Amino acid sequence: MQWRNIYRGFFIGISDLIPGVSGGTIAFILGIYEQLLTAISGFFSRDWKKHIGFLLPLAIGMGGTLLIFSRLIEYLLKNYHAQTQFFFLGLIIGVVPFISKQVNVKKNFKLGHYLLVIIVGAALASLAFVSPQDYGTITKLTSSNALGLFLAGWAGSMAMLLPGISGSFILLLLGVYSTAISALSNLNLPIIIVIGSGVIVGFIVSSKVIRYLLERFKYGTFAVVIGLIIGSVFVIYPGLPKDGTFLMMSLLTFFIGLLVASLFSSFDNKSSI
């Protein structure tokens, strides 16, 4: 068992609770992105035993975080929204130089790759101007809302594995984010099970698709990844606080995020892409 994956799962779980922050990006920061894709894809095959030691501690960390910290994240986003978002901005921006170095952008990227970065980044950044749907908080599962919640979980989990796209943000756009957070905070098992089932299906499908793209179109896929990460900055950016104290706190959390990304990239990721 790779028990240090518990703390990795903790960070991925925290990111998945926050709209705009991608669990895939955090997996890149932690140096386990490709291994994560391989493990998820391989777990649903005959070779599942090879991957259980990697996935189980990760799942424990993620699951525990989602259950324990959902209320804390609600509190931080409500009372310290800008500071929380600036911390994750630092994390996200801090991972771009690491990915660029790993894939050797200067050597391997052509004009088409740079154009892909710009197009994908601009497309994701445009979501900052999209108004999320709001269907209220669903607390009771019915035959009419079960399918919608399942499909929302599916869409959200596919986004979770893509760096730059937040699964929580997709849930927000679909109008079920408050339902998911409320279900986690109050242990509403029926709704958790339905959304969770969609999440599992989404993980299976997206992990196989992304692995295929990385194997066949490596640099094009990483051009998309970098574009998604850059574009997500515009989605997450909350604006500068007008209060001087809050502004200083936001800048501090931003630089802490940069530092954390740098430390993880330097010490936790020893494998090359």
Side-chain angles (χ1 to χ4, degrees):
M1 290 287 181
Q2 299 184 32
W3 293 113
R4 69 174 181 169
N5 275 358
I6 291 179
Y7 87 81
R8 290 166 167 166
F10 168 85
F11 284 104
I12 294 175
I14 286 289
S15 71
D16 285 332
L17 284 172
I18 299 178
V21 182
S22 167
T25 301
I26 303 302
F28 255 118
I29 294 172
L30 297 171
I32 60 171
Y33 185 69
E34 288 197 81
Q35 190 177 2
L36 177 62
L37 294 178
T38 300
I40 293 174
S41 180
F43 182 74
F44 297 94
S45 69
R46 296 177 182 178
D47 299 325
W48 65 272
K49 291 182 180 180
K50 296 181 180 179
H51 305 287
I52 189 68
F54 176 86
L55 287 175
L56 181 58
L58 197 69
I60 292 173
M62 289 180 65
T65 299
L66 292 174
L67 293 173
I68 296 171
F69 290 95
S70 55
R71 291 186 179 180
L72 174 61
I73 293 300
E74 280 186 298
Y75 173 81
L76 289 175
L77 289 175
K78 181 179 180 180
N79 296 282
Y80 301 97
H81 181 266
Q83 292 83 356
T84 304
Q85 295 295 74
F86 268 97
F87 171 75
F88 281 98
L89 276 177
L91 279 180
I92 291 168
I93 293 174
V95 80
V96 173
F98 169 73
I99 297 177
S100 300
K101 181 180 179 181
Q102 290 290 81
V103 79
N104 201 344
V105 165
K106 291 183 179 180
K107 177 182 178 181
N108 296 311
F109 271 30
K110 310 300 181 186
L111 177 60
H113 295 123
Y114 288 108
L115 290 175
L116 199 55
V117 170
I118 294 172
I119 293 171
V120 172
L124 183 58
S126 67
L127 292 179
F129 303 99
V130 176
S131 298
Q133 298 292 327
D134 185 9
Y135 299 117
T137 301
I138 299 172
T139 57
K140 293 184 179 180
L141 194 64
T142 65
S143 57
S144 60
N145 62 31
L147 179 60
L149 292 174
F150 174 83
L151 293 176
W154 184 334
S157 69
M158 293 185 75
M160 287 177 198
L161 286 182
L162 282 173
I165 301 182
S166 162
S168 294
F169 184 68
I170 296 299
L171 294 181
L172 191 66
L173 290 178
L174 295 175
V176 299
Y177 177 73
S178 62
T179 296
I181 289 295
S182 174
L184 289 170
S185 298
N186 299 289
L187 284 181
N188 190 327
L189 291 180
I191 291 180
I192 290 175
I193 290 171
V194 170
I195 296 178
S197 298
V199 168
I200 292 173
V201 173
F203 275 155
I204 297 171
V205 174
S206 55
S207 63
K208 293 182 180 297
V209 171
I210 297 171
R211 279 192 67 205
Y212 173 83
L213 293 174
L214 283 171
E215 291 172 359
R216 298 296 182 92
F217 310 101
K218 180 177 180 179
Y219 299 120
T221 302
F222 274 104
V224 171
V225 166
I226 294 173
L228 289 172
I229 291 174
I230 293 174
S232 70
V233 169
F234 297 90
V235 175
I236 298 174
Y237 178 66
L240 292 174
K242 296 180 180 180
D243 182 271
T245 302
F246 273 36
L247 175 60
M248 293 302 297
M249 291 172 63
S250 297
L251 293 177
L252 177 61
T253 56
F254 173 76
F255 285 111
I256 291 174
L258 283 176
L259 178 61
V260 170
S262 176
L263 290 175
F264 276 131
S265 298
S266 299
F267 300 114
D268 201 54
N269 193 327
K270 303 299 182 182
S271 61
S272 60
I273 293 170

